[in-house]
Amino acid sequence: MGSKMEINHLHNKLETIKMEGILDGENADRKENLHRLFMYPAMMVPATQSAIIEAFSHELPNSILAIDPYMGSGTALLSCMEFGFDVYGQDINPFAVLLSQAKTTNYDIAQLNDSFEKVKQHIENDKSTNIEVSFNTIDKWFTKDAQIAFSRIRRAIMDEPNGNIRKFLWVLMSEAIRTGSNDRTSTFKLHQRDPEELERRHVDNIKNFLEYVQQGVSDFKYFQDKIHEKNCRYGNATIKWGNTQKGIDSEQKFGLLVSSPPYGDNHTTVTYGQTSYLPLQWIDPKDIDCPYDYLKTTQEIDRQSLGGSINRKALSGQRNRLIEKSKSFEDFYFSIPEEDRERYNKTISFIADFDESLDSITSVMDKDAFFIWTIGNRTVGGREIPNARILIDLMQYRGFELFFSADRQISNKTQPKKNNFSKTMDKEDILIFH
Ligand SMILES: C[S@@+](CC[C@H](N)C(=O)[O-])C[C@H]1O[C@@H](n2cnc3c(N)ncnc32)[C@H](O)[C@@H]1O
């Protein structure tokens, strides 16, 4: 694509989708695009992404490669695959890598069903009460019964010889851990449930796990049938662990980016790493791709992520570079009274890391590529950080123009019920650059 007429046509289509309210994703169905396999934090909404990508799919050749450099659980990647695109995704969180690897695999459904029967049998025959993993806080996060149940599940999964199928099973075990551990599901930070609640609570983790697996198999079949009915090819997926701030681990060039970056450092926005900590304790490390010790502490993954650590010596240089590149950042920064500025060091460090990642990203994009970003503002110390406007400036600085924008309510996005991030955010922007 490239002619003025084609680009206008695409723009009109996007405007129509916007007018029809489709971007709000109000009718989101969690069985779509394998969305409910695991409730990863702040997932994008399949209905919204798919509507946009469908519009692109009529205009772009499907030989174009799509990338999500912050892929999380792979929602955007799956929406691209739904329309026949090949995809590349990377994330710094090894658990996101596992989720996306499983979701983008074109499984043989009969093989998944066979594996389900074998795993079920294995668990039924397993009477051992040995606990398979050990870490300092295991008794805080898991009752003895849960430790026995997840040990039986783990032994059964490790008996599965096919590595791709094991990944599928680890994901469903993780969803059983999310709902069956002593951690509250209402926040993404690790928080133990109240003692009285724990006293009352009884969870059948094995039953849950087996139900999740069965539902997972049927969701894969549903997704495969959907691609088949559309007469689309099943795209290839390359999924890797990667720190996008440092680079994109691909030799190829991409024509389409579809992504939602973090909106601030994980610690004060969404703790992707902490949410992943308990499942990662139980998954065989041999099936996890990650070069650092992701289980060092509950904070390690969040520390490695954008804005996860402040380099005090670099701060003033980072701030000056952002001022040079973004008028919106400059206005924001100078609107803060001098005595309060210290409080925004984390924010500056995050935006500087994100800006660096834009260098990695734009270096692997075709020169006429499209970028579909979903981004929200957030509030720190009562001030709104204008993430969306800053992103527009940083993209323009690199020579890409805003082609289309829309905002949507985020009621359907998986946000924790309680944290200072979601309370102050109720809409996000979809910004498309070209
Ligand atoms: C909003 S989520 C992505 C949602 C995802 N695009 C989707 O389709 O659901 C942001 C992701 O950025 C990841 N992330 C944070 N810092 C990163 C970095 N330096 N390199 C790569 N990924 C990073 C987080 O682990 C998280 O999974």
XYZ file of all heavy atoms in Angstrom, residues 1 6 9-11 13-14 17 48-66 76 78-86 230-233 255-256 258 370 372 403 432:
380
model
N 0.848 -1.200 0.000
C 0.000 0.000 0.000
C 0.879 1.243 0.000
O 1.997 1.231 0.410
C -0.860 -0.022 1.258
C -1.455 1.299 1.523
S -2.969 1.195 2.358
C -2.472 1.553 3.964
N -5.435 4.776 -1.410
C -5.532 3.624 -0.505
C -5.446 4.082 0.948
O -6.159 3.597 1.819
C -4.414 2.631 -0.806
C -4.652 1.817 -2.062
C -3.385 1.080 -2.487
O -2.275 1.659 -2.373
O -3.507 -0.060 -2.915
N -8.603 5.610 1.990
C -9.613 4.571 2.151
C -9.488 3.933 3.540
O -10.472 3.750 4.259
C -9.397 3.533 1.034
C -10.491 2.542 0.964
N -10.271 1.189 0.978
C -11.835 2.694 0.909
C -11.417 0.561 0.929
N -12.390 1.449 0.883
N -8.249 3.620 3.921
C -8.002 3.032 5.240
C -8.450 4.000 6.346
O -9.112 3.612 7.307
C -6.503 2.714 5.385
C -6.040 2.225 6.755
C -6.722 0.909 7.119
C -4.524 2.029 6.787
N -8.119 5.257 6.163
C -8.485 6.252 7.165
C -9.999 6.305 7.333
O -10.526 6.326 8.453
C -7.917 7.622 6.779
C -7.980 8.590 7.899
N -9.082 9.380 8.119
C -7.108 8.864 8.893
C -8.871 10.109 9.195
N -7.684 9.815 9.686
N -12.150 3.997 6.718
C -12.620 2.762 7.365
C -12.454 2.860 8.883
O -13.341 2.507 9.652
C -11.773 1.589 6.876
C -12.483 0.738 5.880
C -11.723 -0.549 5.735
C -12.146 -1.196 4.438
N -11.186 -2.187 4.006
N -11.287 3.372 9.291
C -11.024 3.497 10.727
C -11.997 4.489 11.365
O -12.502 4.267 12.478
C -9.566 3.924 10.965
C -8.503 2.871 10.600
C -7.105 3.481 10.579
C -8.538 1.697 11.590
N -15.286 2.706 11.937
C -15.241 1.818 13.113
C -15.370 2.636 14.392
O -16.073 2.281 15.332
C -13.898 1.045 13.167
C -13.720 0.176 11.939
C -13.799 0.198 14.399
C -12.326 -0.456 11.874
N -11.340 -4.912 20.137
C -10.859 -3.612 19.670
C -9.700 -3.790 18.687
O -9.687 -3.225 17.597
C -10.365 -2.775 20.874
O -11.408 -2.752 21.834
C -9.998 -1.375 20.467
N -8.721 -4.606 19.103
C -7.551 -4.805 18.243
C -7.956 -5.448 16.920
O -7.489 -5.058 15.858
C -6.510 -5.691 18.958
C -5.967 -5.099 20.232
C -5.408 -3.701 20.027
O -4.672 -3.465 19.070
N -5.757 -2.771 20.888
N -8.840 -6.446 17.013
C -9.209 -7.178 15.796
C -9.933 -6.264 14.814
O -9.721 -6.364 13.607
C -10.072 -8.394 16.142
O -9.289 -9.306 16.878
N -10.784 -5.354 15.337
C -11.509 -4.452 14.432
C -10.517 -3.572 13.666
O -10.655 -3.357 12.456
C -12.475 -3.580 15.235
N -9.491 -3.096 14.357
C -8.508 -2.230 13.686
C -7.705 -3.045 12.674
O -7.504 -2.643 11.528
C -7.544 -1.599 14.712
C -8.325 -0.731 15.697
C -6.461 -0.782 14.015
C -7.498 -0.200 16.836
N -7.255 -4.219 13.113
C -6.378 -4.995 12.230
C -7.161 -5.515 11.020
O -6.623 -5.607 9.921
C -5.671 -6.103 13.026
C -4.719 -5.399 13.991
C -4.892 -7.046 12.120
C -4.270 -6.201 15.131
N -8.431 -5.784 11.231
C -9.240 -6.199 10.079
C -9.222 -5.094 9.011
O -9.037 -5.364 7.822
C -10.680 -6.509 10.485
C -11.501 -6.888 9.257
C -12.841 -7.498 9.571
O -13.393 -7.196 10.650
O -13.330 -8.254 8.720
N -9.371 -3.843 9.452
C -9.346 -2.728 8.488
C -8.009 -2.713 7.740
O -7.965 -2.567 6.520
C -9.562 -1.405 9.223
N -6.919 -2.935 8.468
C -5.599 -2.955 7.817
C -5.460 -4.149 6.884
O -4.796 -4.066 5.853
C -4.493 -3.005 8.884
C -4.111 -1.643 9.383
C -4.758 -1.068 10.467
C -3.095 -0.927 8.764
C -4.412 0.188 10.911
C -2.734 0.327 9.200
C -3.400 0.899 10.288
N -6.071 -5.286 7.279
C -5.845 -6.523 6.515
C -6.361 -6.394 5.081
O -5.878 -7.070 4.196
C -6.479 -7.721 7.217
O -7.878 -7.639 7.110
N -7.354 -5.501 4.859
C -7.855 -5.333 3.496
C -6.916 -4.470 2.663
O -6.994 -4.461 1.451
C -9.249 -4.686 3.514
C -10.247 -5.553 4.225
N -10.540 -6.826 3.800
C -10.997 -5.342 5.327
C -11.438 -7.363 4.626
N -11.723 -6.482 5.562
N -6.056 -3.721 3.350
C -5.218 -2.767 2.621
C -3.757 -3.207 2.520
O -3.047 -2.799 1.616
C -5.252 -1.380 3.309
C -6.648 -0.862 3.615
C -7.481 -0.634 2.359
O -6.885 -0.348 1.300
O -8.720 -0.766 2.427
N -3.315 -4.016 3.485
C -1.898 -4.415 3.478
C -1.766 -5.832 2.931
O -2.624 -6.678 3.223
C -1.350 -4.424 4.918
C -1.243 -3.103 5.663
C -0.716 -3.349 7.078
C -0.292 -2.164 4.941
N -0.707 -6.139 2.188
C -0.513 -7.531 1.768
C -0.212 -8.377 3.008
O 0.437 -7.882 3.934
C 0.746 -7.439 0.874
C 1.429 -6.185 1.263
C 0.386 -5.243 1.783
N -0.699 -9.624 3.053
C -0.418 -10.352 4.306
C 0.986 -10.955 4.353
O 1.336 -11.686 5.265
C -1.531 -11.317 4.717
C -1.617 -12.535 3.846
O -0.782 -12.726 2.966
N -2.641 -13.340 4.078
N 1.826 -10.548 3.364
C 3.245 -10.915 3.477
C 3.949 -9.980 4.463
O 5.102 -10.200 4.838
C 3.906 -10.804 2.108
O 3.706 -9.502 1.592
N 3.232 -8.945 4.889
C 3.828 -7.993 5.843
C 3.985 -8.648 7.219
O 3.138 -9.431 7.642
C 2.923 -6.742 5.918
C 3.478 -5.702 4.953
C 2.816 -6.181 7.312
C 2.803 -4.393 5.016
N 5.092 -8.352 7.872
C 5.308 -8.924 9.205
C 4.837 -7.937 10.267
O 5.080 -6.735 10.146
C 6.794 -9.176 9.442
C 7.478 -10.194 8.542
C 8.957 -10.285 8.895
C 6.809 -11.552 8.760
N 4.187 -8.480 11.293
C 3.703 -7.621 12.376
C 4.543 -7.875 13.631
O 5.020 -8.986 13.861
C 2.239 -7.922 12.649
N -2.430 -8.745 21.074
C -2.273 -8.075 19.781
C -1.753 -9.065 18.734
O -2.185 -9.048 17.577
C -1.312 -6.893 19.920
N -2.269 -12.269 18.571
C -3.361 -13.162 18.150
C -4.312 -12.441 17.191
O -4.793 -13.031 16.237
C -4.141 -13.676 19.378
C -3.687 -14.990 20.038
C -4.156 -16.185 19.222
C -2.201 -15.094 20.250
N -4.563 -11.143 17.445
C -5.431 -10.391 16.532
C -4.788 -10.310 15.150
O -5.474 -10.380 14.136
C -5.704 -8.979 17.060
O -6.581 -9.050 18.153
N -3.468 -10.165 15.101
C -2.787 -10.134 13.793
C -2.876 -11.504 13.124
O -3.132 -11.609 11.920
C -1.315 -9.747 13.959
S -1.100 -8.035 14.466
N -2.676 -12.556 13.910
C -2.734 -13.905 13.327
C -4.136 -14.227 12.817
O -4.300 -14.947 11.838
C -2.285 -14.946 14.356
C -0.791 -14.863 14.633
S -0.252 -15.996 15.907
C -0.312 -17.558 15.028
N -5.131 -13.664 13.496
C -6.520 -13.891 13.085
C -6.731 -13.469 11.626
O -7.601 -13.990 10.938
C -7.422 -13.073 14.020
C -8.876 -13.317 13.848
C -9.711 -12.346 14.684
O -9.232 -11.821 15.713
O -10.860 -12.120 14.281
N -5.937 -12.506 11.162
C -6.097 -12.029 9.781
C -4.926 -12.453 8.887
O -4.639 -11.826 7.872
C -6.310 -10.508 9.772
C -7.574 -10.150 10.489
C -7.548 -9.723 11.810
C -8.803 -10.332 9.865
C -8.727 -9.458 12.499
C -9.983 -10.067 10.542
C -9.944 -9.625 11.862
N -4.222 -13.520 9.303
C -3.252 -14.159 8.416
C -1.856 -13.566 8.424
O -1.023 -13.953 7.602
N -1.572 -12.637 9.344
C -0.217 -12.060 9.365
C 0.756 -12.967 10.132
O 0.364 -13.610 11.112
C -0.221 -10.682 10.049
C -0.943 -9.619 9.268
C -2.186 -9.165 9.662
C -0.367 -9.081 8.124
C -2.861 -8.192 8.944
C -1.031 -8.105 7.386
C -2.282 -7.659 7.801
N 2.025 -12.961 9.709
C 3.086 -13.566 10.514
C 3.459 -12.554 11.592
O 3.434 -11.341 11.330
C 4.329 -13.852 9.659
C 4.099 -15.015 8.708
O 3.181 -15.817 8.953
O 4.848 -15.127 7.719
N -12.459 -17.900 7.891
C -12.111 -16.659 7.198
C -11.276 -16.934 5.956
O -10.861 -16.003 5.282
C -11.252 -15.771 8.119
C -12.011 -15.092 9.197
C -11.066 -14.085 9.847
C -11.740 -13.283 10.822
N -11.943 -13.086 12.001
N -10.923 -18.219 5.758
C -10.055 -18.579 4.644
C -8.682 -17.939 4.748
O -8.066 -17.599 3.750
C -10.676 -18.142 3.312
C -11.375 -19.318 2.695
O -10.985 -20.462 2.945
N -12.399 -19.025 1.917
N -8.243 -17.717 5.979
C -6.929 -17.109 6.189
C -5.904 -18.209 6.384
O -6.231 -19.295 6.847
C -6.930 -16.274 7.467
S -7.469 -14.618 7.228
N -4.662 -17.889 6.106
C -3.598 -18.824 6.451
C -3.317 -18.685 7.954
O -3.624 -17.645 8.545
C -2.342 -18.536 5.639
C -1.778 -17.149 5.883
C -0.695 -16.823 4.902
N 0.597 -17.384 5.312
C 1.418 -16.817 6.181
N 1.093 -15.663 6.753
N 2.564 -17.380 6.491
N 6.322 -4.350 8.886
C 5.469 -3.364 8.221
C 4.377 -2.840 9.128
O 3.715 -1.839 8.830
N 4.156 -3.546 10.241
C 3.038 -3.182 11.119
C 3.441 -3.416 12.574
O 3.950 -4.491 12.907
C 1.842 -4.081 10.763
C 0.529 -3.874 11.514
C -0.054 -2.493 11.211
C -0.484 -4.954 11.123
N 1.776 -3.430 16.392
C 0.541 -3.345 17.179
C 0.938 -3.598 18.614
O 1.414 -4.690 18.941
C -0.497 -4.414 16.755
C -1.833 -4.118 17.414
C -0.638 -4.468 15.254
N 3.203 1.058 9.509
C 2.173 1.646 10.373
C 2.426 1.202 11.813
O 2.845 0.069 12.058
C 0.783 1.149 9.944
C 0.276 1.807 8.701
C 0.545 1.263 7.453
C -0.469 2.981 8.772
C 0.084 1.873 6.296
C -0.932 3.606 7.614
C -0.658 3.049 6.372
N 0.428 0.950 15.415
C -0.846 1.083 16.150
C -0.528 0.975 17.643
O -0.257 -0.112 18.157
C -1.833 -0.047 15.745
C -1.984 -0.098 14.225
C -3.177 0.140 16.446
C -2.764 -1.325 13.722
N -1.616 9.465 12.183
C -2.453 9.206 11.021
C -3.926 9.091 11.439
O -4.841 9.455 10.721
C -1.929 7.902 10.395
C -2.820 7.214 9.430
C -3.014 7.740 8.150
C -3.467 6.036 9.782
C -3.828 7.083 7.247
C -4.282 5.384 8.867
C -4.459 5.917 7.601
N -2.445 5.907 15.830
C -1.856 5.204 14.685
C -0.944 6.167 13.918
O -1.362 7.278 13.562
C -2.952 4.635 13.762
C -3.886 3.725 14.587
C -2.318 3.857 12.593
C -4.942 2.993 13.789
